[in-house]
Amino acid sequence: QTPCDTNSTLGACIRSAAFFKLMFASADAEDAHTTASSMVLLVHVKQKVLPVSVGAGTQPVRWLADVGAVRFDAQGRLVGEPKGVKTEDGTALPLDKSLVDAGLRDGQHVWITF
């Protein structure tokens, strides 16, 4: 069993090197491969606004929630496990849909809930 398998808590997974490689390598790859179809979402976590490059937006909404939490607090101690993602009007997004299928667009602000 690895720290990031499906039965692990987010806190245990966050503290693993494998998780950091997964989260930041994929983000770095997206940043390095910017194309006309790349989009950036503005992710609000507590008092911070974090720009997250999501490429074509094919990742699930759950991924965005996890990335926001990790980028806010790399130790995973201050914010806890994200419970959801909401839009500016308070609409909760389905965690299993892709970012684009959930209706997110380039430059849109979203809020991570805990």
Side-chain angles (χ1 to χ4, degrees):
Q1 182 174 356
T2 66
C4 290
D5 69 14
T6 56
N7 296 321
S8 300
T9 66
L10 179 63
C13 187
I14 285 174
R15 290 184 288 277
S16 77
F19 184 74
F20 282 110
K21 287 180 184 176
L22 171 70
M23 297 308 285
F24 291 108
S26 64
D28 291 343
E30 292 291 343
D31 291 341
H33 193 271
T34 302
T35 65
S37 66
S38 290
M39 68 178 181
V40 174
L41 297 173
L42 300 167
V43 180
H44 294 252
V45 181
K46 304 290 183 180
Q47 71 278 12
K48 289 187 181 179
V49 179
L50 309 165
V52 177
S53 177
V54 299
T58 58
Q59 307 89 330
V61 172
R62 168 43 107 193
W63 174 87
L64 185 64
D66 291 339
V67 167
V70 168
R71 290 192 184 177
F72 177 82
D73 173 33
Q75 286 76 39
R77 296 184 192 133
L78 298 177
V79 294
E81 186 171 350
K83 302 295 182 204
V85 177
K86 292 186 178 183
T87 60
E88 189 169 7
D89 67 3
T91 301
L93 300 175
L95 295 175
D96 59 336
K97 279 196 171 185
S98 75
L99 299 170
V100 293
D101 288 344
L104 296 177
R105 301 292 175 249
D106 185 42
Q108 188 166 353
H109 290 259
V110 295
W111 284 257
I112 308 300
T113 59
F114 296 91

